[in-house]
Amino acid sequence: MIVRRLQEIIGTERDVKAENGHWVSRRFLLREDAMGFSFHETTIFAGTETYIHYINHLEAVYCVGGEGEIEDLETGQTHKITDGTMYALNQHERHYLRATKDLRLICVFNPALTGNEVHDREGAYPLIED
Ligand code: 9YT
């Protein structure tokens, strides 16, 4: 069994900050944990807008605090995000993520992130294979 606490992750390699300062991601589970997915808590900071397009990954996101919205660039629809909202990028949708109050998001990635990926110019993470 794996048991990890946020306080043990903060300040380690699993505590990843976006280069543009828009978010911070604490990686509770990564590929090396061999669960078949990675599991993170991400805070998206208030006042930011982030373009994301995960061409290589599926991601499910569950909001546990804060306020913001996701604009689905495939449909043009914008969805409010508050505590209790889940969205799943089951079709690799291009989107904008905006926070009006710091958004606390629980994120699951399939395939699992290794932890070394950074968003590229297209807002994607590369697929890192064995
Ligand atoms: C919700 C989202 O995709 N935010 C960007 C960071 C990502 N969740 C991560 O690397 O944890």
Side-chain angles (χ1 to χ4, degrees), residues 61-78:
V61 176
Y62 183 64
C63 177
V64 294
E67 198 177 278
E69 64 181 25
I70 181 168
E71 181 179 350
D72 180 343
L73 296 173
E74 310 300 340
T75 64
Q77 281 187 305
T78 297

Side-chain angles (χ1 to χ4, degrees), residues 99-111:
T100 44
K101 293 181 189 162
D102 283 1
L103 268 176
R104 283 185 60 217
L105 305 175
I106 307 302
C107 311
V108 175
F109 280 83
N110 173 19

Side-chain angles (χ1 to χ4, degrees), residues 16 23-27 40-42 44 50 52 54 59 61 87 89 95 97 105 107 109 113 117 119 125:
V16 175
W23 50 262
V24 61
S25 174
R26 277 77 187 243
R27 276 78 186 264
H40 321 165
E41 177 176 332
T42 300
I44 310 280
T50 306
I52 300 176
Y54 291 129
E59 186 195 24
V61 176
Y87 65 85
L89 302 166
H95 60 283
L97 200 50
L105 305 175
C107 311
F109 280 83
L113 297 194
E117 299 87 346
H119 280 184
Y125 286 132

